[in-house]
Amino acid sequence: MPPNTTATTGDKPGKSGRKKGRKARLVVLVLVLAIIGGIAYGAYWSISTVRASFPQTKGSITLDGLSGPVDVKRDGNGIPQIYASSDEDLFMAQGYVQAQDRFYEMDVRRHMTSGRLSEMFGKDQVKDDEFLRTLGWDRVAKKEYDTKLSASTKKYLQAYAKGVNAYLQGKDGKDISLEYAALGFVNDYKPAQWTPVDSVSWLKAMAWDLRGNMQDEIDRALMTSRLGPKQIADLYPDYPYSRNKAIVQEGQYNALAKTFEQNGSSSTSGTSGASSTSGTSGTSGSGATGTSSSASAGSALTSQLSGLYKVLDNVPTAVGVNGQGIGSNSWVVAGDHTITGKPLLANDPHLSASLPSVWYQMGLHCRTVSSKCQYDVTGYTFAGMPGVVIGHNQDIAWGMTNSGVDVTDLYLEKVSGDGYLYDGTVRPFKTREETIKVAGGKSKTIVVRQTADGMPLLSDRDDELVTVGKKATVNTAAPDRGDGYGIALRWTALDPGTSMDAVFAMDRASNWSDFRSAAALFDVPSQNLVYADKNNIGYTLPGKIPTRAKKDDGSIPAPGWDSSYKWTGYIPQDALPYEYNPQRGYIVTANQAVIDKDKYPYTLTTDWGYGTRSQRITDLIESKIRGGGKISTDDMRQMQLDNSSEIAKLLVPKLLKIDIRDKDVRGAKAVREAQDLLEGWDYTQDADSAAAAYFNSVWRNILKLAFGNKLPKELRVEGQCLWVDPVNSTGPADETNKVRECGERAADQAQPDGGDRWFEVVRNLMDDQKSDWWSTPKSLTRPGASDNRDDLFKRAMIDARWELTAKLGKDIDTWSWGRLHRLFLKNQTLGTDGPAFVKYILNRGPWKLSGGEATVNATGWNAAGGYGVVWVPSMRMVVNLDDLDKSKWINLTGASGHAYSAHYTDQTSKWVKGELLDWNFSDKAVDENTSDTLVLKP
């Protein structure tokens, strides 16, 4: 053992954990050893190698730096509750314990945030590192640490790092995690010491995945190569405020918003992406592709943004799906409507499925809360970061969903030599060199260029972006193209902030006022925060949210050479929407509009989620209230599991009226048999539902026929090819003049993804039987063509029948949604790109899931790419403010990041079934449910 870390008594995991996982581990290890015996690696992995990194959970360990003993109590699921007598001891122990369970995950995360993945995984990661170095997350995090964070936050970060490093000291890679043993086959990588900045950087990665409408901004511009302004507007409809209610509906907005409401002004209020996209044709509107001093939306801009998308798509995800499809549910119900008479709060963030889960459950408890030791908090945090991000303390509870506010803008830059054009003057770029070390290869040096206000030139990271600018089509108002146009990024997270201060302030908050003050520090990423204490409920929107000139709403790329398109400031914190104890008695946030655009003077975004989930949750709450019932903790859980398909309610009545006749449909009997599944279906997408399987296949094929086949290749699924008119063709379509064009986007990122934006698109077109969207040329369907809605629906029903026959078999009695809609959990490094036998060791699944796209139980799938699960409720929790020990929680996987630990995926089967675990908080409840106790001694 290292000199400052001494095991005095106890063993590795407790007996309960060993019994639970021993049989499975031995069976798998026999298989693993047999496989490895025939692999060129020639290594012999014994049981001791696999078990070497399992944490000690009993007895005692001596750690230098502690001022007093710390107790680490783990329950039967390995979830730790830490008890200490000072803040520094508490967070030092947190660092030690998280490193015990998840250090490999922590190490990968810090290499991602600092653009150093190549040091671990070799030359294949160089492109990712180049882009991440250009963004400079770790550089911004260091500035935050040096100049923005409070002295107490720095003290906690230092204590946390000290705990991590105490765990690392004296350990070889194989003693830390099985993955390091695998890496040892190909390089000699050894983990370095943890630093406070490593923890701060993680918030930048989180912010990147929750960055708002940047993807929509790119997609709208890409669409201009094939679609006109009216068509693009059809695909980005207005938010349905009258049908799907905004979060803030009554009570307090702010003084400025009240004045605005009284005056009836709406000159700068948020609009949907549809209205602003008129600028993409050069007819009106704003942005880089309008007529006002900007480049036209020609093939060059499309190529530039396509190249940018490829770069973005390769950036590893932190918590989401590269900005696409990320949602979440949270809601809070006042005591007037609950069984206990006290509030209930629910939260289930929807994020990418990963193994281990992005969340880490734990409790942080001061034995006596005082000025010396201020915390008694429990909930979910990230491995590698001190504190608790979502959860409750002894007084309050809170949850988060992504607000989706627009905090990123792309700018076209007129590059001229070593500078860029700005209001007629060439300004020099700020430059820095970055050296990327590569495991097993030569280092690479890159030059990062930034504008004066800190915008990195993303186009420097892709050769295609450099060359296509030379061919840019421009109008007379734009500057001469010269060497081409670059693409720069303006993003709030590239400025130092105070979000780490906010985490600790929320953990300490004891009332609404404290919580609002803490939330104001949470500048990036901007999140919807719901709140409850024993007597009150609330909502607040924090964040650093930019304001823009009237001509620019941030919906499409803007011309960087014109200062009138720059950000004009930030919305004042006291002008951001909030709500406290609304009369209706509940608050729902599920990525819908924060506030009605006619009641607020600022543009928050042009790209809200469309409110399908939020309105369904609202309807479930209202139905309970209207029926005179009171809501229980289990009612909240059941709401989280709601599988109802809102698009099915709209479409199925129409589909049942479609006449499938023998004379015009091959295999009509089989198609009618599938159609009959929809008769009497309750629109619930349970895993065993054949009707849900067939409907979702019909929905997928409707989207493909009506929209997907008409989108540019940059948005379609990679490798899916069509015969289409050339981009620059004019005149009527000519079946003899087609070109073969193949999609370029990853299957889980392609369009149409089938989310609730597409619900709204189809809803708006339903009454127009002759819309051009329902028209499908003969070349894009088999056989025949459609020129009206019902013909296209019929074609989709036929195609769906034969698609499912191929996937699930001829006998529809064997069909089920879960056979299509499956979850695979993959280790996010070696589990996706490692050798096959390593993937076998590290990955788990599949599980057949209920739920679906834009349902409350949002097990998301991408309709363009297939039926597999893309994102999930990454955890679920329900907090009972009457008795905190009656609160419930669950994680997607388990506490441990060690393959074959009993706690690697021990919560997953319960998560799949919709079960929740008891969430122990009081000393008594924790003690009664403690399986293992480890004492950390000074």
Side-chain angles (χ1 to χ4, degrees), residues 834-863:
F837 82 91
V838 174
K839 293 180 183 178
Y840 183 84
I841 293 169
L842 297 177
N843 297 342
R844 300 291 183 271
W847 288 269
K848 299 175 181 178
L849 295 193
S850 301
E853 184 62 40
T855 62
V856 180
N857 184 19
T859 55
W861 56 286
N862 185 296

Side-chain angles (χ1 to χ4, degrees), residues 458-479:
L458 303 184
S459 48
D460 282 350
R461 301 285 75 85
D462 188 84
D463 292 340
E464 182 180 358
L465 296 182
V466 174
T467 58
V468 297
K470 298 179 180 180
K471 303 176 182 179
T473 300
V474 297
N475 60 26
T476 56

Side-chain angles (χ1 to χ4, degrees), residues 45-233:
W45 284 5
S46 65
I47 291 175
S48 62
T49 300
V50 175
R51 290 181 56 87
S53 59
F54 287 7
Q56 178 179 334
T57 59
K58 286 186 174 182
S60 63
I61 295 175
T62 299
L63 298 183
D64 285 348
L66 289 175
S67 63
V70 177
D71 297 328
V72 182
K73 302 178 181 181
R74 293 178 183 259
D75 65 12
N77 292 99
I79 299 170
Q81 305 284 339
I82 300 176
Y83 291 83
S85 298
S86 74
D87 291 339
E88 291 91 332
D89 285 356
L90 191 65
F91 294 117
M92 182 178 176
Q94 183 182 15
Y96 186 89
V97 170
Q98 286 192 340
Q100 281 188 306
D101 285 334
R102 300 274 194 99
F103 181 77
Y104 176 77
E105 175 191 10
M106 294 163 58
D107 200 16
V108 172
R109 283 179 174 177
R110 67 167 165 176
H111 278 77
M112 179 182 71
T113 58
S114 59
R116 295 188 296 120
L117 289 168
S118 301
E119 293 179 16
M120 294 185 76
F121 305 110
K123 63 183 180 179
D124 289 344
Q125 298 298 320
V126 170
K127 279 289 186 184
D128 292 344
D129 284 347
E130 289 180 9
F131 187 78
L132 292 164
R133 294 286 185 95
T134 299
L135 291 176
W137 292 343
D138 62 328
R139 296 173 65 88
V140 180
K142 188 175 189 309
K143 288 181 182 177
E144 285 188 4
Y145 182 81
D146 290 342
T147 65
K148 289 287 187 178
L149 298 182
S150 68
S152 61
T153 293
K154 290 181 181 180
K155 181 171 61 177
Y156 301 155
L157 289 165
Q158 291 162 4
Y160 181 90
K162 187 186 297 184
V164 175
N165 293 329
Y167 170 76
L168 292 177
Q169 188 161 347
K171 290 183 172 64
D172 293 327
K174 64 181 176 59
D175 300 322
I176 298 171
S177 183
L178 181 63
E179 288 92 335
Y180 289 118
L183 280 178
F185 292 138
V186 293
N187 66 51
D188 58 355
Y189 172 79
K190 291 180 174 55
Q193 293 280 291
W194 192 263
T195 73
V197 174
D198 292 334
S199 296
V200 180
S201 295
W202 177 242
L203 286 172
K204 299 302 174 185
M206 177 183 171
W208 177 253
D209 282 356
L210 304 175
R211 62 190 178 270
N213 76 332
M214 184 171 163
Q215 188 58 61
D216 289 313
E217 189 173 339
I218 293 173
D219 285 358
R220 273 191 290 266
L222 290 172
M223 286 179 184
T224 61
S225 67
R226 286 210 171 270
L227 303 178
K230 172 61 168 65
Q231 292 172 306
I232 296 173

Side-chain angles (χ1 to χ4, degrees), residues 303-317:
S303 298
Q304 283 178 298
L305 290 170
S306 175
L308 173 61
Y309 181 82
K310 291 173 185 177
V311 176
L312 298 179
D313 191 38
N314 286 331
V315 176
T317 58

Side-chain angles (χ1 to χ4, degrees), residues 7 45 166 229 242 367 826 832 866:
W45 284 5
S242 61
R367 294 189 178 95
K826 297 180 180 180
T832 56

Side-chain angles (χ1 to χ4, degrees), residues 548-858:
R548 299 170 175 87
K550 291 183 180 180
K551 66 166 64 177
D552 181 26
D553 62 10
S555 62
I556 53 178
W561 50 80
D562 184 345
S563 64
S564 63
Y565 285 87
K566 71 176 184 178
W567 290 359
T568 57
Y570 299 95
I571 301 175
Q573 286 294 310
D574 60 3
L576 290 170
Y578 70 99
E579 198 166 56
Y580 187 59
N581 288 333
Q583 187 174 357
R584 64 187 180 277
Y586 60 86
I587 301 170
V588 176
T589 87
N591 317 112
Q592 78 272 38
V594 168
I595 190 168
D596 194 308
K597 64 185 177 67
D598 294 329
K599 296 180 178 179
Y600 195 64
Y602 297 103
T603 298
L604 295 172
T605 185
T606 61
D607 294 293
W608 300 113
Y610 281 79
T612 302
R613 283 178 287 109
S614 62
Q615 194 56 43
R616 176 62 178 171
I617 296 166
T618 296
D619 292 344
L620 291 170
I621 295 171
E622 285 282 0
S623 66
K624 191 79 173 180
I625 293 173
R626 284 196 302 267
K630 298 287 187 178
I631 296 171
S632 68
T633 300
D634 196 59
D635 289 332
M636 301 282 274
R637 180 187 71 87
Q638 293 286 356
M639 291 177 191
Q640 289 178 325
L641 303 178
D642 183 79
N643 291 321
S644 178
S645 171
E646 297 304 301
I647 191 62
K649 294 175 184 178
L650 177 69
L651 291 182
V652 166
K654 306 293 185 185
L655 298 176
L656 288 173
K657 292 179 181 179
I658 303 293
D659 184 13
I660 307 293
R661 291 174 291 182
D662 290 341
K663 68 179 183 180
D664 62 357
V665 176
R666 181 178 63 85
K669 181 179 179 181
V671 179
R672 287 201 306 273
E673 185 182 34
Q675 184 185 33
D676 289 343
L677 289 172
L678 304 179
E679 192 75 53
W681 179 43
D682 64 357
Y683 314 120
T684 299
Q685 300 171 99
D686 291 333
D688 60 0
S689 171
Y694 181 59
F695 171 77
N696 282 317
S697 182
V698 173
W699 171 236
R700 179 174 185 245
N701 279 279
I702 287 173
L703 291 169
K704 178 181 177 182
L705 293 169
F707 310 105
N709 289 342
K710 300 166 187 174
L711 295 176
K713 66 181 184 297
E714 293 85 6
L715 274 69
R716 299 200 314 268
V717 175
E718 183 177 10
Q720 291 185 3
C721 303
L722 299 170
W723 289 93
V724 299
D725 294 323
V727 169
N728 295 322
S729 65
T730 59
D734 182 355
E735 294 294 326
T736 65
N737 189 35
K738 301 291 184 184
V739 295
R740 189 168 185 265
E741 189 179 80
C742 299
E744 298 179 350
R745 187 165 288 188
D748 63 354
Q749 300 286 299
Q751 293 294 335
D753 61 19
D756 66 352
R757 173 163 67 88
W758 294 98
F759 290 13
E760 199 65 21
V761 169
V762 171
R763 185 188 299 275
N764 290 346
L765 297 171
M766 283 295 287
D767 294 334
D768 185 359
Q769 274 271 9
K770 289 291 188 176
S771 168
D772 288 343
W773 290 110
W774 305 131
S775 176
T776 304
K778 184 177 180 180
S779 60
L780 295 182
T781 185
R782 61 172 210 282
S786 66
D787 62 3
N788 63 72
R789 185 196 72 192
D790 287 353
D791 281 352
L792 186 139
F793 283 8
K794 181 189 292 187
R795 183 76 256 163
M797 293 172 73
I798 296 167
D799 289 353
R801 176 35 158 143
W802 302 123
E803 180 187 12
L804 293 197
T805 297
K807 290 180 180 294
L808 302 178
K810 294 181 180 179
D811 184 359
I812 66 172
D813 289 337
T814 67
W815 290 3
S816 70
W817 177 225
R819 288 181 62 195
L820 292 172
H821 192 53
R822 298 186 299 167
L823 170 67
F824 291 84
L825 292 175
K826 297 180 180 180
N827 178 288
Q828 290 303 288
T829 55
L830 301 181
T832 56
D833 295 320
F837 82 91
V838 174
K839 293 180 183 178
Y840 183 84
I841 293 169
L842 297 177
N843 297 342
R844 300 291 183 271
W847 288 269
K848 299 175 181 178
L849 295 193
S850 301
E853 184 62 40
T855 62
V856 180
N857 184 19

